């Protein structure tokens, strides 16, 4: 493989893979997308490229693999530094964006998936409350980060937009499947508008999975997870 | 304007030491606020309302939370003695392994401290398995950062101090020099570094402290 060839190992339903795709699109980087059917089997290339976690996404740049979605996004931002910036330029703004991205992965996304995956109404209710609380915090963070503009990154999509926006497909799925309102026009008006702007953005719209396809996939996923007795 | 730097931490927290080490490497003056986590200060709750945890770095009144985020902030704000590598690929690797340490090494070791019997054995086995990846990283190097201490050394720094303390408390070996020659050498080199060695609290106090953390968890099981 040539030293500048790009491959992305991924799967269409994965929000983490979506982060990498959006970052590459922002920088107009051409890459080969290799669809992994991770629920069935993992390719030799995936196992070789990510021996530690055996998970997607993996970005392979030349011969070198880069793993973990947020690390991939930062890598893309730093390698294609002449393209539109993904992380803010100010160190404090960068720290704020990084803080929220860690929060999303460590605290918020687990509560989001628990709405679908946990057993019993009590557990689902708790997960829903936690997810909504998180969105209230993000609504407030949006006001501070956006500085009056359309995105967390200001007038253009940035790191935190990608980190949160990648979950929008799943947010819509959970709203449908659990019959709940998460990003609510009256309760989180900024996030509601932001979600529409993000979804329609050029770097996002062609890679964001269609909601009805994701709903079908989620039914399959829930059945598989619950059927096998594993979480 | 004169820089005002405050570090909110506890006297024993390994995550707090990451910040202290970074600031010392950069030659920065700062004020320490030691917290009692059973009685958190109003300031800590104001500066870290989401997690209510230490460490927090406050720079000219602005708080930064999460120790690895703080390390990158320090490195990007003060350019002397760079902590992260220059090349994006090397940066990505440093970030990857730092996160691996926090997600896959610290938790099983913590679990081994807080348990006994089979659960403890499993914690130790998981930690030892994952430490083998770290041993590989040190091939041909004195520090994870190369010739000098860098971001990944600071991320792993807690091991140089805490592992032998925890081994004493639970009476089990985690890092022996035969299985982990490079990691053992690194732990000595890191701890002996002039910037690092004066930062560690007295060992007997640390042993007592972590024994104190272990006790209530064992009582819960009994």
């Amino acid at each position: 493989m040539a030293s500048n060839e790009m491959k992305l190992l991924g799967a269409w339903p994965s929000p983490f893979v979506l982060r990498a795709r959006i970052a590459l699109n922002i920088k107009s980087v051409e890459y080969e997308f290799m669809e992994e059917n991770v629920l069935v089997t993992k390719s030799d290339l995936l196992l070789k490229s990510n021996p530690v976690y055996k998970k997607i996404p993996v970005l392979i740049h030349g011969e070198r693999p880069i793993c973990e979605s947020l690390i991939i996004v930062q890598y893309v931002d730093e390698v294609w530094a002449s393209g539109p910036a993904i992380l803010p330029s100010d160190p404090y703004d960068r720290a704020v964006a990084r803080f929220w991205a860690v929060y999303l992965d460590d605290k918020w996304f687990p509560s989001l998936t628990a709405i679908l995956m946990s057993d019993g109404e009590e557990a689902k209710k708790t997960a829903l409350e936690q997810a909504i609380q998180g969105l209230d915090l993000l609504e407030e963070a949006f006001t501070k980060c956006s500085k009056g503009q359309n995105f967390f990154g200001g007038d253009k999509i940035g790191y935190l937009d990608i980190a949160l926006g990648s979950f929008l497909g799943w947010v819509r799925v959970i709203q449908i499947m659990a019959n709940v309102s998460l990003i609510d026009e009256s309760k989180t008006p900024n996030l509601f508008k932001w979600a529409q702007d993000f979804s329609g953005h050029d770097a996002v719209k062609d890679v964001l999975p269609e909601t009805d396809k994701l709903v079908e996939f989620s039914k399959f996923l829930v059945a598989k997870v619950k059927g096998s007795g594993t979480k | 304007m004169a820089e005002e730097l405050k570090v909110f931490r506890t006297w024993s927290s390994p995550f707090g030491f990451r910040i202290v080490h970074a600031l010392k490497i950069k030659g920065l003056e700062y004020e320490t606020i030691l917290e009692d986590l059973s009685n958190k200060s109003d300031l800590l709750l104001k500066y870290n309302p989401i997690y209510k945890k230490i460490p927090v770095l406050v720079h000219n009144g602005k708080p930064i939370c999460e120790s690895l985020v703080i390390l990158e902030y320090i490195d990007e704000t003060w350019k002397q003695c760079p902590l992260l590598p220059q090349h994006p690929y090397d940066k990505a690797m440093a970030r990857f392994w730092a996160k691996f340490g926090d997600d896959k090494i610290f938790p099983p070791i913590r679990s081994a401290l807080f348990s006994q019997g089979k659960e403890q054995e499993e914690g130790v086995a998981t930690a030892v398995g994952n430490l083998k990846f770290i041993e590989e990283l040190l091939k041909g190097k004195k520090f994870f950062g190369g010739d000098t201490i860098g971001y990944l050394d600071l991320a792993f720094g807690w091991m140089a101090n805490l592992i032998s303390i925890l081994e004493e408390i639970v009476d089990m070996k985690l890092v022996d020099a035969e299985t982990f020659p490079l990691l053992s050498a690194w732990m000595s080199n890191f701890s002996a570094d002039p910037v690092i060695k004066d930062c560690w609290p007295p060992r007997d106090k640390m042993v007592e402290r972590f024994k104190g953390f272990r006790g209530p968890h064992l009582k819960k099981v009994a």
Side-chain angles (χ1 to χ4, degrees), chain B:
Chain B
M1 173 168 72
E3 304 274 27
E4 187 197 62
L5 275 171
K6 295 182 189 205
V7 178
F8 287 76
R9 62 181 182 92
T10 63
W11 67 266
S12 60
S13 161
F15 302 107
F17 287 126
R18 288 176 173 170
I19 312 311
V20 168
H21 294 157
L23 293 172
K24 284 193 182 298
I25 287 172
K26 297 280 187 180
L28 297 166
E29 300 278 318
Y30 62 94
E31 182 193 343
T32 297
I33 292 100
L34 290 177
E35 287 282 330
D36 169 4
L37 296 182
S38 64
N39 184 19
K40 293 174 186 178
S41 72
D42 289 341
L43 270 182
L44 176 62
L45 299 177
K46 171 186 147 186
Y47 286 135
N48 192 353
I50 312 278
Y51 294 109
K52 305 176 176 55
K53 280 164 121 176
I54 52 91
V56 179
L57 178 73
V58 182
H59 182 204
N60 295 336
K62 298 208 281 193
I64 303 105
C65 308
E66 292 296 290
S67 59
L68 296 179
V69 174
I70 297 171
L71 287 185
E72 296 225 32
Y73 175 80
I74 291 171
D75 206 33
E76 288 167 0
T77 306
W78 293 279
K79 305 286 189 192
Q80 69 274 25
C81 306
L83 298 173
L84 270 145
Q86 290 306 299
H87 193 281
Y89 181 74
D90 298 328
K91 267 195 189 144
M93 290 305 103
R95 287 172 178 145
F96 175 88
W97 289 112
K99 190 168 188 297
F100 177 79
D102 282 2
D103 290 351
K104 298 290 178 194
I105 299 177
F106 186 80
I109 288 181
R110 190 173 178 270
S111 155
L113 175 67
F114 289 158
S115 60
Q116 52 199 348
K118 190 160 180 287
E119 199 187 324
Q120 184 179 76
E121 281 169 23
E122 282 169 8
V124 169
T126 303
V128 167
N130 289 333
L131 281 165
K132 292 189 174 148
F133 287 110
I134 309 306
E135 175 78 8
E136 288 295 301
L137 295 179
L138 281 166
K139 284 205 163 114
K141 290 164 142 185
K142 184 179 181 190
F143 295 112
F144 294 98
D147 295 327
T148 53
I149 286 174
Y151 168 88
L152 193 51
D153 298 277
L154 298 190
F156 289 152
W158 62 271
M159 295 191 214
N161 181 249
L162 217 49
I163 281 187
S164 73
I165 288 167
L166 300 183
E167 284 173 340
E168 182 181 320
I169 294 171
V170 306
D171 194 24
M172 285 182 89
K173 200 68 187 157
L174 279 159
V175 175
D176 70 81
E178 232 181 272
T179 319
F180 296 102
L182 301 176
L183 190 57
S184 301
W186 171 81
M187 284 161 69
S188 302
N189 289 329
F190 183 84
S191 295
D193 185 276
V195 164
I196 304 297
K197 73 176 197 276
D198 295 332
C199 292
W200 300 130
R203 187 188 164 85
D204 54 349
K205 284 197 150 46
M206 288 289 271
V207 170
E208 197 188 315
R209 173 79 146 180
F210 282 86
K211 267 190 185 157
F213 290 149
R214 174 173 160 81
H217 286 268
L218 301 183
K219 287 192 183 122
K220 272 187 215 160
V221 174

Side-chain angles (χ1 to χ4, degrees), chain A residues 57-229:
Chain A
V58 181
L59 180 70
I60 307 178
H61 187 186
E63 299 287 331
R64 306 209 279 197
I66 301 100
C67 308
E68 294 295 291
S69 63
L70 294 177
I71 292 173
I72 293 171
V73 170
Q74 291 183 88
Y75 176 80
V76 168
D77 195 32
E78 287 157 9
V79 171
W80 287 274
S82 55
I86 293 176
L87 267 135
S89 52
D90 175 75
Y92 187 74
D93 294 338
R94 291 160 77 92
V96 170
R98 285 178 174 136
F99 171 86
W100 284 112
V102 168
Y103 169 82
L104 283 173
D105 283 3
D106 288 357
K107 295 270 177 263
W108 189 72
F109 185 63
S111 61
L112 189 72
T113 52
I115 298 170
L116 263 190
M117 298 293 185
S118 52
D119 291 319
E121 284 313 302
E122 267 314 300
K124 285 184 199 287
K125 192 162 164 261
T126 305
L128 178 62
E129 280 166 7
Q130 284 168 350
I132 289 175
Q133 252 172 36
L135 287 167
D136 289 339
L137 292 171
L138 288 156
E139 173 81 4
E140 205 184 307
F142 182 86
T143 311
K144 292 184 183 151
C145 296
S146 65
K147 299 171 185 160
Q149 309 213 57
N150 286 345
F151 300 106
F152 285 94
D155 61 354
K156 54 179 168 51
I157 280 185
Y159 184 75
L160 186 48
D161 297 280
I162 296 173
L164 178 58
S166 58
F167 293 131
L168 282 173
W170 282 97
V171 167
R172 291 176 184 128
V173 165
I174 289 165
Q175 289 182 152
I176 292 167
M177 304 275 286
N179 194 26
V180 294
S181 179
L182 287 167
I183 298 185
D184 186 285
E185 195 172 3
S186 56
K187 293 187 187 140
T188 52
N190 289 322
L191 288 182
F192 187 85
K193 178 178 181 298
W194 164 82
Q196 291 172 331
D197 291 338
F198 180 87
S199 303
H201 190 281
D202 282 341
V204 177
K205 63 185 199 280
D206 296 330
V207 289
L208 196 61
E210 289 164 30
T211 305
D212 39 6
K213 275 178 85 177
L214 260 189
V215 166
E216 284 313 303
F217 177 81
S218 75
K219 290 177 186 167
F220 165 75
L221 183 65
V222 172
K224 190 174 180 13
V225 164
K226 295 205 163 167
S228 68

